[in-house]
């Protein structure tokens, strides 16, 4: 970006420099929009993600192409439900934590459930109840997202893997 003919100088910590620019943009936007404005909230979220050092990697593709299976391989354990029929209906965010647990967030936004879990079988079973089309048809439970926290080496440095429903599923609501 150039301003008045001068190039923006980036210091030794580009993330902090960009965060400072986002702070200035947010402050300027507050002059015309309330802090609850979607634009302001998105910029604040972008700033927070930038400073957290997280890399979110969503696995996208047609249904039944092995997205969950690929993620299981990257995680080093069969944690995500995978099967012959289209399974994943709800996005599953997988992030590092030293203690395996599952958090379910509902569309209402004011309700969360957390489960302490042990081992791949228990993790897969609980995930199945919330993210699988078969167990939660047309998302009758009104789940917005599921977070799995797990101590996999690939997640240690801020990587967040996201398992998504398949595109082109026979279940239109999954594709949407």
């Amino acid at each position: 970006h150039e301003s008045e003919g001068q190039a923006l100088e980036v210091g030794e910590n580009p993330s902090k420099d960009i965060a400072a620019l986002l702070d200035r943009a947010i402050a300027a936007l507050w002059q015309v929009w309330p802090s609850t404005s979607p634009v302001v909230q998105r910029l604040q979220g972008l700033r927070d993600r930038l400073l957290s050092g997280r890399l979110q990697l969503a696995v996208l593709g047609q249904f039944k192409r092995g997205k969950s299976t690929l993620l299981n391989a990257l995680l080093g354990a069969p944690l995500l439900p995978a099967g012959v029929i289209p399974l994943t209906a709800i996005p599953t965010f997988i992030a590092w934590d030293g203690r395996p647990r599952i958090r379910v967030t509902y569309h209402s936004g004011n309700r969360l459930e957390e489960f302490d879990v042990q081992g791949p079988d228990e993790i897969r079973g609980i995930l199945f109840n919330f993210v699988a089309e078969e167990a939660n048809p047309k998302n009758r439970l009104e789940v917005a997202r599921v977070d799995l926290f797990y101590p996999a080496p690939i997640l240690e440095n801020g990587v967040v893997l996201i398992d998504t429903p398949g595109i082109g599923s026979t279940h239109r609501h999954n594709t949407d």
Side-chain angles (χ1 to χ4, degrees):
H1 171 286
E2 290 190 16
S3 177
E4 298 176 6
Q6 295 183 356
L8 173 67
E9 290 188 32
V10 178
E12 290 186 27
N13 191 335
S15 293
K16 284 189 178 180
D17 293 341
I18 294 169
L21 286 173
L22 286 170
D23 283 338
R24 289 181 23 215
I26 290 166
L29 288 172
W30 277 348
Q31 302 297 319
V32 292
W33 284 323
S35 63
T36 57
S37 158
V39 172
V40 172
Q41 288 181 341
R42 288 184 88 174
L43 282 176
Q44 288 171 325
L46 178 62
R47 178 196 176 279
D48 294 345
R49 282 194 315 243
L50 178 68
L51 289 176
S52 74
R54 289 186 347 192
L55 168 67
Q56 292 187 333
L57 178 64
V59 178
L60 304 169
Q62 288 189 315
F63 75 101
K64 298 310 311 153
R65 295 295 191 248
K67 294 178 296 299
S68 299
T69 302
L70 171 66
L71 288 170
N72 282 336
L74 291 172
L75 293 166
L79 306 175
L80 302 168
V84 177
I85 60 171
L87 270 178
T88 308
I90 306 297
T92 306
F93 293 71
I94 307 122
W96 190 90
D97 196 359
R99 173 178 64 103
R101 61 192 166 88
I102 296 170
R103 181 176 58 219
V104 180
T105 305
Y106 295 90
H107 281 295
S108 65
N110 58 4
R111 186 169 154 228
L112 293 173
E113 280 188 277
E114 288 220 9
F115 303 88
D116 286 320
V117 290
Q118 298 292 320
D121 291 339
E122 183 181 8
I123 292 169
R124 201 171 46 256
I126 291 174
L127 287 175
F128 181 84
N129 290 329
F130 293 100
V131 305
E133 180 64 35
E134 182 180 340
N136 183 12
K138 296 186 179 179
N139 196 13
R140 64 176 164 72
L141 298 175
E142 298 186 12
V143 175
R145 70 184 266 171
V146 175
D147 292 274
L148 167 61
F149 300 95
Y150 190 76
I154 192 170
L155 306 172
E156 278 184 299
N157 294 315
V159 172
V160 177
L161 301 174
I162 306 169
D163 192 16
T164 63
I167 299 167
S169 170
T170 56
H171 304 290
R172 175 73 182 177
H173 57 278
N174 289 349
T175 297
D176 293 343

